Short mmCIF file of all heavy atoms in Angstrom, two decimals:
data_model
loop_
_atom_site.label_atom_id
_atom_site.label_comp_id
_atom_site.label_asym_id
_atom_site.label_seq_id
_atom_site.Cartn_x
_atom_site.Cartn_y
_atom_site.Cartn_z
N ILE A 823 127.40 56.79 73.14
CA ILE A 823 126.37 57.80 73.24
C ILE A 823 125.36 57.67 72.09
O ILE A 823 124.14 57.69 72.30
CB ILE A 823 126.97 59.20 73.25
CG1 ILE A 823 127.64 59.48 74.60
CG2 ILE A 823 125.90 60.27 72.99
CD1 ILE A 823 126.70 59.64 75.76
N CYS A 824 125.86 57.52 70.87
CA CYS A 824 124.95 57.48 69.72
C CYS A 824 124.13 56.19 69.68
O CYS A 824 123.01 56.21 69.22
CB CYS A 824 125.77 57.64 68.44
SG CYS A 824 126.45 59.31 68.24
N GLU A 825 124.68 55.09 70.18
CA GLU A 825 123.88 53.85 70.27
C GLU A 825 122.75 54.02 71.27
O GLU A 825 121.62 53.58 71.04
CB GLU A 825 124.76 52.68 70.67
CG GLU A 825 125.59 52.12 69.52
CD GLU A 825 126.35 50.86 69.93
OE1 GLU A 825 126.31 50.50 71.12
OE2 GLU A 825 126.99 50.25 69.06
N ALA A 826 123.04 54.69 72.41
CA ALA A 826 122.03 54.85 73.44
C ALA A 826 120.96 55.85 73.03
O ALA A 826 119.78 55.67 73.34
CB ALA A 826 122.68 55.29 74.74
N PHE A 827 121.34 56.93 72.34
CA PHE A 827 120.42 58.04 72.10
C PHE A 827 120.08 58.24 70.62
O PHE A 827 119.47 59.25 70.25
CB PHE A 827 121.01 59.34 72.64
CG PHE A 827 121.10 59.36 74.14
CD1 PHE A 827 122.29 59.04 74.77
CD2 PHE A 827 120.01 59.64 74.92
CE1 PHE A 827 122.40 59.04 76.16
CE2 PHE A 827 120.08 59.65 76.30
CZ PHE A 827 121.29 59.34 76.92
N GLY A 828 120.47 57.26 69.78
CA GLY A 828 120.27 57.42 68.33
C GLY A 828 118.86 57.82 67.95
O GLY A 828 118.64 58.71 67.13
N GLU A 829 117.85 57.17 68.54
CA GLU A 829 116.47 57.42 68.14
C GLU A 829 116.02 58.83 68.53
O GLU A 829 115.05 59.38 67.99
CB GLU A 829 115.52 56.39 68.76
CG GLU A 829 115.40 56.48 70.27
CD GLU A 829 114.26 55.61 70.81
OE1 GLU A 829 113.09 55.89 70.44
OE2 GLU A 829 114.53 54.69 71.57
N TYR A 830 116.69 59.44 69.52
CA TYR A 830 116.32 60.78 69.96
C TYR A 830 117.05 61.87 69.17
O TYR A 830 116.75 63.05 69.35
CB TYR A 830 116.63 60.93 71.45
CG TYR A 830 115.79 60.06 72.34
CD1 TYR A 830 116.28 58.82 72.74
CD2 TYR A 830 114.54 60.43 72.75
CE1 TYR A 830 115.53 58.00 73.55
CE2 TYR A 830 113.75 59.61 73.54
CZ TYR A 830 114.25 58.39 73.94
OH TYR A 830 113.51 57.55 74.73
N MET A 831 118.01 61.51 68.37
CA MET A 831 118.86 62.50 67.70
C MET A 831 118.08 63.10 66.52
O MET A 831 118.17 62.60 65.40
CB MET A 831 120.17 61.88 67.29
CG MET A 831 121.07 61.60 68.48
SD MET A 831 122.70 61.05 67.98
CE MET A 831 123.54 61.08 69.60
N ILE A 832 117.35 64.16 66.79
CA ILE A 832 116.50 64.77 65.78
C ILE A 832 117.18 65.98 65.14
O ILE A 832 117.12 66.17 63.93
CB ILE A 832 115.14 65.21 66.41
CG1 ILE A 832 114.48 64.01 67.07
CG2 ILE A 832 114.26 65.87 65.40
CD1 ILE A 832 114.16 62.89 66.10
N SER A 833 117.83 66.81 65.95
CA SER A 833 118.46 68.00 65.40
C SER A 833 119.54 68.51 66.33
O SER A 833 119.65 68.09 67.47
CB SER A 833 117.41 69.09 65.16
OG SER A 833 116.69 69.35 66.36
N LEU A 860 118.59 65.96 61.75
CA LEU A 860 119.23 64.66 61.71
C LEU A 860 118.27 63.48 61.69
O LEU A 860 118.66 62.34 61.61
CB LEU A 860 120.15 64.52 62.97
CG LEU A 860 121.29 65.51 63.06
CD1 LEU A 860 121.99 65.40 64.41
CD2 LEU A 860 122.29 65.32 61.94
N HIS A 861 116.95 63.81 61.78
CA HIS A 861 115.97 62.75 61.78
C HIS A 861 116.03 61.93 60.50
O HIS A 861 116.03 62.46 59.41
CB HIS A 861 114.57 63.35 61.95
CG HIS A 861 113.50 62.30 62.02
ND1 HIS A 861 113.42 61.37 63.04
CD2 HIS A 861 112.46 62.03 61.21
CE1 HIS A 861 112.39 60.58 62.85
NE2 HIS A 861 111.78 60.97 61.75
N GLY A 862 116.15 60.61 60.64
CA GLY A 862 116.21 59.73 59.50
C GLY A 862 117.58 59.56 58.88
O GLY A 862 117.76 58.77 57.94
N GLU A 863 118.57 60.30 59.43
CA GLU A 863 119.93 60.17 58.91
C GLU A 863 120.58 58.92 59.49
O GLU A 863 120.15 58.38 60.51
CB GLU A 863 120.76 61.43 59.25
CG GLU A 863 120.23 62.69 58.63
CD GLU A 863 120.45 62.77 57.14
OE1 GLU A 863 121.10 61.87 56.60
OE2 GLU A 863 119.95 63.72 56.50
N GLN A 865 123.34 56.37 61.39
CA GLN A 865 124.07 56.46 62.63
C GLN A 865 125.46 57.01 62.42
O GLN A 865 125.99 57.74 63.25
CB GLN A 865 124.18 55.05 63.27
CG GLN A 865 122.96 54.62 64.06
CD GLN A 865 122.84 55.37 65.36
OE1 GLN A 865 122.31 56.49 65.40
NE2 GLN A 865 123.33 54.79 66.43
N LYS A 868 125.22 60.72 62.31
CA LYS A 868 124.94 61.24 63.64
C LYS A 868 126.18 61.23 64.50
O LYS A 868 126.44 62.13 65.30
CB LYS A 868 123.83 60.42 64.31
CG LYS A 868 122.46 60.64 63.68
CD LYS A 868 121.38 59.81 64.35
CE LYS A 868 120.02 60.07 63.73
NZ LYS A 868 118.95 59.25 64.35
N PHE A 888 121.65 69.70 71.52
CA PHE A 888 121.68 68.55 70.62
C PHE A 888 120.53 67.62 71.01
O PHE A 888 120.37 67.31 72.17
CB PHE A 888 123.00 67.81 70.77
CG PHE A 888 123.32 66.85 69.63
CD1 PHE A 888 124.26 67.18 68.69
CD2 PHE A 888 122.66 65.65 69.53
CE1 PHE A 888 124.56 66.30 67.66
CE2 PHE A 888 122.93 64.77 68.49
CZ PHE A 888 123.89 65.11 67.57
N LEU A 889 119.80 67.19 70.04
CA LEU A 889 118.76 66.18 70.11
C LEU A 889 117.48 66.56 70.81
O LEU A 889 117.47 66.98 71.94
CB LEU A 889 119.25 64.81 70.62
CG LEU A 889 119.88 64.56 71.96
CD1 LEU A 889 118.87 64.16 73.02
CD2 LEU A 889 120.83 63.40 71.78
N PHE A 890 116.43 66.45 70.03
CA PHE A 890 115.06 66.65 70.53
C PHE A 890 114.24 65.44 70.11
O PHE A 890 114.37 64.97 68.97
CB PHE A 890 114.42 67.90 69.95
CG PHE A 890 115.25 69.13 70.09
CD1 PHE A 890 115.89 69.67 69.03
CD2 PHE A 890 115.41 69.72 71.34
CE1 PHE A 890 116.69 70.80 69.14
CE2 PHE A 890 116.19 70.85 71.48
CZ PHE A 890 116.84 71.39 70.39
N LYS A 891 113.40 64.95 70.98
CA LYS A 891 112.46 63.89 70.58
C LYS A 891 111.43 64.47 69.61
O LYS A 891 110.98 63.80 68.69
CB LYS A 891 111.77 63.32 71.82
CG LYS A 891 110.83 62.14 71.49
CD LYS A 891 111.59 60.97 70.94
CE LYS A 891 110.68 59.79 70.74
NZ LYS A 891 111.36 58.66 70.12
N GLN A 892 111.05 65.74 69.79
CA GLN A 892 110.12 66.39 68.89
C GLN A 892 110.85 67.57 68.23
O GLN A 892 111.74 68.15 68.80
CB GLN A 892 108.90 66.92 69.66
CG GLN A 892 108.13 65.85 70.38
CD GLN A 892 107.03 66.43 71.26
OE1 GLN A 892 106.90 67.63 71.38
NE2 GLN A 892 106.21 65.56 71.83
N GLY A 907 108.20 65.35 76.18
CA GLY A 907 108.70 64.64 75.03
C GLY A 907 109.97 65.19 74.47
O GLY A 907 110.31 64.96 73.31
N ALA A 909 114.24 65.86 74.88
CA ALA A 909 115.52 65.53 75.52
C ALA A 909 116.60 66.40 74.90
O ALA A 909 116.57 66.67 73.70
CB ALA A 909 115.87 64.06 75.34
N ILE A 927 110.39 61.90 78.94
CA ILE A 927 111.03 60.74 78.30
C ILE A 927 111.71 59.93 79.40
O ILE A 927 112.43 60.49 80.23
CB ILE A 927 112.06 61.16 77.26
CG1 ILE A 927 111.38 61.86 76.08
CG2 ILE A 927 112.85 59.96 76.74
CD1 ILE A 927 112.33 62.40 75.05
N ASP A 928 111.46 58.64 79.42
CA ASP A 928 112.02 57.80 80.48
C ASP A 928 113.45 57.44 80.14
O ASP A 928 113.75 56.35 79.67
CB ASP A 928 111.16 56.55 80.68
CG ASP A 928 111.57 55.75 81.90
OD1 ASP A 928 112.47 56.22 82.64
OD2 ASP A 928 110.99 54.69 82.17
N LEU A 929 114.39 58.35 80.41
CA LEU A 929 115.79 58.07 80.12
C LEU A 929 116.34 56.97 81.01
O LEU A 929 117.33 56.34 80.68
CB LEU A 929 116.63 59.34 80.29
CG LEU A 929 116.38 60.47 79.29
CD1 LEU A 929 117.34 61.62 79.54
CD2 LEU A 929 116.54 59.97 77.87
N ARG A 931 115.27 54.12 81.41
CA ARG A 931 115.25 52.86 80.67
C ARG A 931 116.51 52.70 79.82
O ARG A 931 117.04 51.63 79.68
CB ARG A 931 114.03 52.77 79.79
CG ARG A 931 112.72 52.66 80.56
CD ARG A 931 111.58 52.35 79.64
NE ARG A 931 111.77 51.08 78.95
CZ ARG A 931 110.94 50.63 78.03
NH1 ARG A 931 109.88 51.31 77.69
NH2 ARG A 931 111.15 49.47 77.46
N LEU A 932 116.99 53.82 79.27
CA LEU A 932 118.21 53.73 78.46
C LEU A 932 119.39 53.35 79.32
O LEU A 932 120.22 52.53 78.96
CB LEU A 932 118.48 55.10 77.80
CG LEU A 932 117.51 55.50 76.70
CD1 LEU A 932 117.82 56.93 76.25
CD2 LEU A 932 117.58 54.54 75.52
N GLN A 935 120.04 49.69 80.36
CA GLN A 935 120.61 48.73 79.40
C GLN A 935 122.12 48.56 79.59
O GLN A 935 122.75 47.78 78.91
CB GLN A 935 120.33 49.25 77.98
CG GLN A 935 118.84 49.31 77.66
CD GLN A 935 118.57 50.02 76.35
OE1 GLN A 935 119.48 50.29 75.59
NE2 GLN A 935 117.32 50.32 76.08
#
Side-chain angles (χ1 to χ4, degrees):
I823 287 290
C824 291
E825 281 186 354
F827 293 98
E829 68 169 296
Y830 295 94
M831 290 186 170
I832 303 300
S833 54
L860 298 172
H861 182 63
E863 298 289 355
Q865 277 288 84
K868 289 180 180 180
F888 197 106
L889 59 92
F890 308 107
K891 183 64 175 176
Q892 300 174 355
I927 295 176
D928 189 3
L929 293 183
R931 292 189 62 184
L932 291 174
Q935 297 170 11

